mmCIF file with all atom_site columns, all heavy atoms in Angstrom:
data_model
loop_
_atom_site.group_PDB
_atom_site.id
_atom_site.type_symbol
_atom_site.label_atom_id
_atom_site.label_alt_id
_atom_site.label_comp_id
_atom_site.label_asym_id
_atom_site.label_entity_id
_atom_site.label_seq_id
_atom_site.pdbx_PDB_ins_code
_atom_site.Cartn_x
_atom_site.Cartn_y
_atom_site.Cartn_z
_atom_site.occupancy
_atom_site.B_iso_or_equiv
_atom_site.pdbx_formal_charge
_atom_site.auth_seq_id
_atom_site.auth_comp_id
_atom_site.auth_asym_id
_atom_site.auth_atom_id
_atom_site.pdbx_PDB_model_num
ATOM 1   N N   . GLY A 1 187 ? 32.544 -220.329 41.825 1.00 0.00 ? 187 GLY A N   1
ATOM 2   C CA  . GLY A 1 187 ? 31.095 -220.158 41.720 1.00 0.00 ? 187 GLY A CA  1
ATOM 3   C C   . GLY A 1 187 ? 30.499 -220.820 40.434 1.00 0.00 ? 187 GLY A C   1
ATOM 4   O O   . GLY A 1 187 ? 29.347 -220.632 40.118 1.00 0.00 ? 187 GLY A O   1
ATOM 5   N N   . LEU A 1 188 ? 31.386 -221.508 39.671 1.00 0.00 ? 188 LEU A N   1
ATOM 6   C CA  . LEU A 1 188 ? 30.928 -222.110 38.440 1.00 0.00 ? 188 LEU A CA  1
ATOM 7   C C   . LEU A 1 188 ? 30.179 -223.303 38.634 1.00 0.00 ? 188 LEU A C   1
ATOM 8   O O   . LEU A 1 188 ? 29.442 -223.936 37.750 1.00 0.00 ? 188 LEU A O   1
ATOM 9   C CB  . LEU A 1 188 ? 32.055 -222.367 37.539 1.00 0.00 ? 188 LEU A CB  1
ATOM 10  C CG  . LEU A 1 188 ? 32.848 -221.149 37.080 1.00 0.00 ? 188 LEU A CG  1
ATOM 11  C CD1 . LEU A 1 188 ? 34.035 -221.375 36.219 1.00 0.00 ? 188 LEU A CD1 1
ATOM 12  C CD2 . LEU A 1 188 ? 31.920 -220.067 36.464 1.00 0.00 ? 188 LEU A CD2 1
ATOM 13  N N   . ASN A 1 189 ? 30.284 -224.036 39.736 1.00 0.00 ? 189 ASN A N   1
ATOM 14  C CA  . ASN A 1 189 ? 29.641 -225.318 40.092 1.00 0.00 ? 189 ASN A CA  1
ATOM 15  C C   . ASN A 1 189 ? 28.925 -225.084 41.454 1.00 0.00 ? 189 ASN A C   1
ATOM 16  O O   . ASN A 1 189 ? 29.534 -224.915 42.437 1.00 0.00 ? 189 ASN A O   1
ATOM 17  C CB  . ASN A 1 189 ? 30.604 -226.393 40.328 1.00 0.00 ? 189 ASN A CB  1
ATOM 18  C CG  . ASN A 1 189 ? 30.025 -227.728 40.572 1.00 0.00 ? 189 ASN A CG  1
ATOM 19  O OD1 . ASN A 1 189 ? 28.740 -227.838 40.721 1.00 0.00 ? 189 ASN A OD1 1
ATOM 20  N ND2 . ASN A 1 189 ? 30.763 -228.781 40.635 1.00 0.00 ? 189 ASN A ND2 1
ATOM 21  N N   . ASP A 1 190 ? 27.558 -225.053 41.392 1.00 0.00 ? 190 ASP A N   1
ATOM 22  C CA  . ASP A 1 190 ? 26.830 -224.656 42.678 1.00 0.00 ? 190 ASP A CA  1
ATOM 23  C C   . ASP A 1 190 ? 26.326 -225.980 43.388 1.00 0.00 ? 190 ASP A C   1
ATOM 24  O O   . ASP A 1 190 ? 25.723 -225.885 44.318 1.00 0.00 ? 190 ASP A O   1
ATOM 25  C CB  . ASP A 1 190 ? 25.621 -223.842 42.256 1.00 0.00 ? 190 ASP A CB  1
ATOM 26  C CG  . ASP A 1 190 ? 24.672 -224.564 41.266 1.00 0.00 ? 190 ASP A CG  1
ATOM 27  O OD1 . ASP A 1 190 ? 24.999 -225.709 40.875 1.00 0.00 ? 190 ASP A OD1 1
ATOM 28  O OD2 . ASP A 1 190 ? 23.614 -223.937 40.935 1.00 0.00 ? 190 ASP A OD2 1
ATOM 29  N N   . GLY A 1 191 ? 26.868 -227.085 42.887 1.00 0.00 ? 191 GLY A N   1
ATOM 30  C CA  . GLY A 1 191 ? 26.546 -228.323 43.725 1.00 0.00 ? 191 GLY A CA  1
ATOM 31  C C   . GLY A 1 191 ? 27.410 -229.372 43.393 1.00 0.00 ? 191 GLY A C   1
ATOM 32  O O   . GLY A 1 191 ? 28.084 -229.505 42.340 1.00 0.00 ? 191 GLY A O   1
ATOM 33  N N   . LEU A 1 192 ? 27.548 -230.440 44.331 1.00 0.00 ? 192 LEU A N   1
ATOM 34  C CA  . LEU A 1 192 ? 28.507 -231.467 44.158 1.00 0.00 ? 192 LEU A CA  1
ATOM 35  C C   . LEU A 1 192 ? 28.226 -232.408 42.954 1.00 0.00 ? 192 LEU A C   1
ATOM 36  O O   . LEU A 1 192 ? 29.085 -233.160 42.406 1.00 0.00 ? 192 LEU A O   1
ATOM 37  C CB  . LEU A 1 192 ? 28.541 -232.303 45.458 1.00 0.00 ? 192 LEU A CB  1
ATOM 38  C CG  . LEU A 1 192 ? 29.087 -231.494 46.634 1.00 0.00 ? 192 LEU A CG  1
ATOM 39  C CD1 . LEU A 1 192 ? 29.055 -232.396 47.862 1.00 0.00 ? 192 LEU A CD1 1
ATOM 40  C CD2 . LEU A 1 192 ? 30.479 -230.861 46.445 1.00 0.00 ? 192 LEU A CD2 1
ATOM 41  N N   . ALA A 1 193 ? 26.853 -232.439 42.599 1.00 0.00 ? 193 ALA A N   1
ATOM 42  C CA  . ALA A 1 193 ? 26.503 -233.328 41.447 1.00 0.00 ? 193 ALA A CA  1
ATOM 43  C C   . ALA A 1 193 ? 27.078 -232.691 40.164 1.00 0.00 ? 193 ALA A C   1
ATOM 44  O O   . ALA A 1 193 ? 27.019 -233.537 39.216 1.00 0.00 ? 193 ALA A O   1
ATOM 45  C CB  . ALA A 1 193 ? 24.896 -233.393 41.433 1.00 0.00 ? 193 ALA A CB  1
ATOM 46  N N   . GLY A 1 194 ? 27.548 -231.552 40.148 1.00 0.00 ? 194 GLY A N   1
ATOM 47  C CA  . GLY A 1 194 ? 27.928 -230.854 38.916 1.00 0.00 ? 194 GLY A CA  1
ATOM 48  C C   . GLY A 1 194 ? 29.488 -231.214 38.645 1.00 0.00 ? 194 GLY A C   1
ATOM 49  O O   . GLY A 1 194 ? 30.012 -230.770 37.760 1.00 0.00 ? 194 GLY A O   1
ATOM 50  N N   . PHE A 1 195 ? 30.001 -232.034 39.397 1.00 0.00 ? 195 PHE A N   1
ATOM 51  C CA  . PHE A 1 195 ? 31.529 -232.348 39.315 1.00 0.00 ? 195 PHE A CA  1
ATOM 52  C C   . PHE A 1 195 ? 31.681 -233.132 37.943 1.00 0.00 ? 195 PHE A C   1
ATOM 53  O O   . PHE A 1 195 ? 30.978 -234.131 37.660 1.00 0.00 ? 195 PHE A O   1
ATOM 54  C CB  . PHE A 1 195 ? 32.033 -233.313 40.267 1.00 0.00 ? 195 PHE A CB  1
ATOM 55  C CG  . PHE A 1 195 ? 32.603 -232.533 41.477 1.00 0.00 ? 195 PHE A CG  1
ATOM 56  C CD1 . PHE A 1 195 ? 31.829 -231.535 42.214 1.00 0.00 ? 195 PHE A CD1 1
ATOM 57  C CD2 . PHE A 1 195 ? 33.947 -232.699 41.894 1.00 0.00 ? 195 PHE A CD2 1
ATOM 58  C CE1 . PHE A 1 195 ? 32.395 -230.905 43.249 1.00 0.00 ? 195 PHE A CE1 1
ATOM 59  C CE2 . PHE A 1 195 ? 34.494 -232.011 42.897 1.00 0.00 ? 195 PHE A CE2 1
ATOM 60  C CZ  . PHE A 1 195 ? 33.675 -231.042 43.627 1.00 0.00 ? 195 PHE A CZ  1
ATOM 61  N N   . LYS A 1 196 ? 32.566 -232.750 36.983 1.00 0.00 ? 196 LYS A N   1
ATOM 62  C CA  . LYS A 1 196 ? 32.857 -233.381 35.800 1.00 0.00 ? 196 LYS A CA  1
ATOM 63  C C   . LYS A 1 196 ? 34.366 -233.413 35.635 1.00 0.00 ? 196 LYS A C   1
ATOM 64  O O   . LYS A 1 196 ? 34.993 -232.288 35.472 1.00 0.00 ? 196 LYS A O   1
ATOM 65  C CB  . LYS A 1 196 ? 32.161 -232.578 34.588 1.00 0.00 ? 196 LYS A CB  1
ATOM 66  C CG  . LYS A 1 196 ? 30.627 -232.555 34.660 1.00 0.00 ? 196 LYS A CG  1
ATOM 67  C CD  . LYS A 1 196 ? 30.016 -231.806 33.498 1.00 0.00 ? 196 LYS A CD  1
ATOM 68  C CE  . LYS A 1 196 ? 28.524 -231.769 33.606 1.00 0.00 ? 196 LYS A CE  1
ATOM 69  N NZ  . LYS A 1 196 ? 27.931 -231.086 32.390 1.00 0.00 ? 196 LYS A NZ  1
ATOM 70  N N   . PRO A 1 197 ? 34.887 -234.638 35.455 1.00 0.00 ? 197 PRO A N   1
ATOM 71  C CA  . PRO A 1 197 ? 34.172 -235.889 35.633 1.00 0.00 ? 197 PRO A CA  1
ATOM 72  C C   . PRO A 1 197 ? 33.967 -236.147 37.177 1.00 0.00 ? 197 PRO A C   1
ATOM 73  O O   . PRO A 1 197 ? 34.605 -235.663 38.013 1.00 0.00 ? 197 PRO A O   1
ATOM 74  C CB  . PRO A 1 197 ? 35.141 -236.879 34.970 1.00 0.00 ? 197 PRO A CB  1
ATOM 75  C CG  . PRO A 1 197 ? 36.488 -236.265 35.418 1.00 0.00 ? 197 PRO A CG  1
ATOM 76  C CD  . PRO A 1 197 ? 36.356 -234.741 35.123 1.00 0.00 ? 197 PRO A CD  1
ATOM 77  N N   . ASN A 1 198 ? 33.024 -237.082 37.345 1.00 0.00 ? 198 ASN A N   1
ATOM 78  C CA  . ASN A 1 198 ? 32.728 -237.399 38.805 1.00 0.00 ? 198 ASN A CA  1
ATOM 79  C C   . ASN A 1 198 ? 33.848 -238.314 39.212 1.00 0.00 ? 198 ASN A C   1
ATOM 80  O O   . ASN A 1 198 ? 34.300 -239.221 38.629 1.00 0.00 ? 198 ASN A O   1
ATOM 81  C CB  . ASN A 1 198 ? 31.451 -238.253 38.809 1.00 0.00 ? 198 ASN A CB  1
ATOM 82  C CG  . ASN A 1 198 ? 30.958 -238.364 40.223 1.00 0.00 ? 198 ASN A CG  1
ATOM 83  O OD1 . ASN A 1 198 ? 30.791 -237.413 41.039 1.00 0.00 ? 198 ASN A OD1 1
ATOM 84  N ND2 . ASN A 1 198 ? 30.531 -239.658 40.594 1.00 0.00 ? 198 ASN A ND2 1
ATOM 85  N N   . PRO A 1 199 ? 34.400 -237.942 40.354 1.00 0.00 ? 199 PRO A N   1
ATOM 86  C CA  . PRO A 1 199 ? 35.615 -238.701 40.834 1.00 0.00 ? 199 PRO A CA  1
ATOM 87  C C   . PRO A 1 199 ? 35.211 -240.214 41.088 1.00 0.00 ? 199 PRO A C   1
ATOM 88  O O   . PRO A 1 199 ? 34.231 -240.522 41.682 1.00 0.00 ? 199 PRO A O   1
ATOM 89  C CB  . PRO A 1 199 ? 36.041 -237.963 42.206 1.00 0.00 ? 199 PRO A CB  1
ATOM 90  C CG  . PRO A 1 199 ? 34.779 -237.302 42.637 1.00 0.00 ? 199 PRO A CG  1
ATOM 91  C CD  . PRO A 1 199 ? 34.117 -236.820 41.317 1.00 0.00 ? 199 PRO A CD  1
ATOM 92  N N   . VAL A 1 200 ? 36.162 -241.139 40.646 1.00 0.00 ? 200 VAL A N   1
ATOM 93  C CA  . VAL A 1 200 ? 35.962 -242.509 40.832 1.00 0.00 ? 200 VAL A CA  1
ATOM 94  C C   . VAL A 1 200 ? 37.151 -243.124 41.636 1.00 0.00 ? 200 VAL A C   1
ATOM 95  O O   . VAL A 1 200 ? 38.259 -242.900 41.162 1.00 0.00 ? 200 VAL A O   1
ATOM 96  C CB  . VAL A 1 200 ? 35.779 -243.145 39.304 1.00 0.00 ? 200 VAL A CB  1
ATOM 97  C CG1 . VAL A 1 200 ? 35.830 -244.728 39.515 1.00 0.00 ? 200 VAL A CG1 1
ATOM 98  C CG2 . VAL A 1 200 ? 34.547 -242.688 38.771 1.00 0.00 ? 200 VAL A CG2 1
ATOM 99  N N   . TRP A 1 201 ? 36.935 -243.954 42.534 1.00 0.00 ? 201 TRP A N   1
ATOM 100 C CA  . TRP A 1 201 ? 37.988 -244.628 43.233 1.00 0.00 ? 201 TRP A CA  1
ATOM 101 C C   . TRP A 1 201 ? 38.399 -245.947 42.503 1.00 0.00 ? 201 TRP A C   1
ATOM 102 O O   . TRP A 1 201 ? 39.400 -245.883 41.854 1.00 0.00 ? 201 TRP A O   1
ATOM 103 C CB  . TRP A 1 201 ? 37.505 -245.018 44.728 1.00 0.00 ? 201 TRP A CB  1
ATOM 104 C CG  . TRP A 1 201 ? 38.652 -245.507 45.587 1.00 0.00 ? 201 TRP A CG  1
ATOM 105 C CD1 . TRP A 1 201 ? 38.864 -246.855 45.841 1.00 0.00 ? 201 TRP A CD1 1
ATOM 106 C CD2 . TRP A 1 201 ? 39.685 -244.806 46.161 1.00 0.00 ? 201 TRP A CD2 1
ATOM 107 N NE1 . TRP A 1 201 ? 40.010 -246.868 46.679 1.00 0.00 ? 201 TRP A NE1 1
ATOM 108 C CE2 . TRP A 1 201 ? 40.557 -245.751 46.872 1.00 0.00 ? 201 TRP A CE2 1
ATOM 109 C CE3 . TRP A 1 201 ? 40.099 -243.532 46.156 1.00 0.00 ? 201 TRP A CE3 1
ATOM 110 C CZ2 . TRP A 1 201 ? 41.680 -245.401 47.647 1.00 0.00 ? 201 TRP A CZ2 1
ATOM 111 C CZ3 . TRP A 1 201 ? 41.183 -243.060 46.913 1.00 0.00 ? 201 TRP A CZ3 1
ATOM 112 C CH2 . TRP A 1 201 ? 42.005 -244.120 47.515 1.00 0.00 ? 201 TRP A CH2 1
ATOM 113 N N   . ASP A 1 202 ? 37.698 -247.057 42.722 1.00 0.00 ? 202 ASP A N   1
ATOM 114 C CA  . ASP A 1 202 ? 37.788 -248.242 41.853 1.00 0.00 ? 202 ASP A CA  1
ATOM 115 C C   . ASP A 1 202 ? 39.311 -248.682 41.677 1.00 0.00 ? 202 ASP A C   1
ATOM 116 O O   . ASP A 1 202 ? 39.621 -249.136 40.546 1.00 0.00 ? 202 ASP A O   1
ATOM 117 C CB  . ASP A 1 202 ? 37.139 -248.004 40.468 1.00 0.00 ? 202 ASP A CB  1
ATOM 118 C CG  . ASP A 1 202 ? 35.571 -248.038 40.399 1.00 0.00 ? 202 ASP A CG  1
ATOM 119 O OD1 . ASP A 1 202 ? 35.095 -248.175 41.577 1.00 0.00 ? 202 ASP A OD1 1
ATOM 120 O OD2 . ASP A 1 202 ? 35.054 -247.916 39.466 1.00 0.00 ? 202 ASP A OD2 1
ATOM 121 N N   . ARG A 1 203 ? 40.119 -248.526 42.770 1.00 0.00 ? 203 ARG A N   1
ATOM 122 C CA  . ARG A 1 203 ? 41.478 -249.115 42.597 1.00 0.00 ? 203 ARG A CA  1
ATOM 123 C C   . ARG A 1 203 ? 41.588 -250.564 42.396 1.00 0.00 ? 203 ARG A C   1
ATOM 124 O O   . ARG A 1 203 ? 42.688 -250.997 41.925 1.00 0.00 ? 203 ARG A O   1
ATOM 125 C CB  . ARG A 1 203 ? 42.286 -248.568 43.886 1.00 0.00 ? 203 ARG A CB  1
ATOM 126 C CG  . ARG A 1 203 ? 42.174 -247.181 44.220 1.00 0.00 ? 203 ARG A CG  1
ATOM 127 C CD  . ARG A 1 203 ? 42.617 -246.253 43.146 1.00 0.00 ? 203 ARG A CD  1
ATOM 128 N NE  . ARG A 1 203 ? 42.306 -244.893 43.383 1.00 0.00 ? 203 ARG A NE  1
ATOM 129 C CZ  . ARG A 1 203 ? 43.078 -243.982 43.882 1.00 0.00 ? 203 ARG A CZ  1
ATOM 130 N NH1 . ARG A 1 203 ? 44.318 -244.173 44.171 1.00 0.00 ? 203 ARG A NH1 1
ATOM 131 N NH2 . ARG A 1 203 ? 42.706 -242.659 44.059 1.00 0.00 ? 203 ARG A NH2 1
ATOM 132 N N   . HIS A 1 204 ? 40.504 -251.294 42.612 1.00 0.00 ? 204 HIS A N   1
ATOM 133 C CA  . HIS A 1 204 ? 40.648 -252.860 42.407 1.00 0.00 ? 204 HIS A CA  1
ATOM 134 C C   . HIS A 1 204 ? 40.756 -253.108 40.882 1.00 0.00 ? 204 HIS A C   1
ATOM 135 O O   . HIS A 1 204 ? 41.217 -254.138 40.573 1.00 0.00 ? 204 HIS A O   1
ATOM 136 C CB  . HIS A 1 204 ? 39.330 -253.439 42.940 1.00 0.00 ? 204 HIS A CB  1
ATOM 137 C CG  . HIS A 1 204 ? 38.115 -253.077 42.112 1.00 0.00 ? 204 HIS A CG  1
ATOM 138 N ND1 . HIS A 1 204 ? 37.438 -251.917 42.368 1.00 0.00 ? 204 HIS A ND1 1
ATOM 139 C CD2 . HIS A 1 204 ? 37.502 -253.688 41.152 1.00 0.00 ? 204 HIS A CD2 1
ATOM 140 C CE1 . HIS A 1 204 ? 36.484 -251.773 41.527 1.00 0.00 ? 204 HIS A CE1 1
ATOM 141 N NE2 . HIS A 1 204 ? 36.409 -252.868 40.736 1.00 0.00 ? 204 HIS A NE2 1
ATOM 142 N N   . LEU A 1 205 ? 40.582 -252.097 40.010 1.00 0.00 ? 205 LEU A N   1
ATOM 143 C CA  . LEU A 1 205 ? 40.702 -252.522 38.596 1.00 0.00 ? 205 LEU A CA  1
ATOM 144 C C   . LEU A 1 205 ? 42.049 -252.605 38.162 1.00 0.00 ? 205 LEU A C   1
ATOM 145 O O   . LEU A 1 205 ? 42.368 -253.251 37.191 1.00 0.00 ? 205 LEU A O   1
ATOM 146 C CB  . LEU A 1 205 ? 40.049 -251.221 37.765 1.00 0.00 ? 205 LEU A CB  1
ATOM 147 C CG  . LEU A 1 205 ? 38.604 -251.045 37.981 1.00 0.00 ? 205 LEU A CG  1
ATOM 148 C CD1 . LEU A 1 205 ? 38.131 -249.749 37.239 1.00 0.00 ? 205 LEU A CD1 1
ATOM 149 C CD2 . LEU A 1 205 ? 37.805 -252.212 37.380 1.00 0.00 ? 205 LEU A CD2 1
#
Side-chain angles (χ1 to χ4, degrees):
L188 300 179
N189 182 358
D190 57 3
L192 301 178
F195 271 57
K196 294 181 181 179
N198 191 50
V200 173
W201 186 257
D202 285 358
R203 306 301 167 100
H204 67 279
L205 296 174

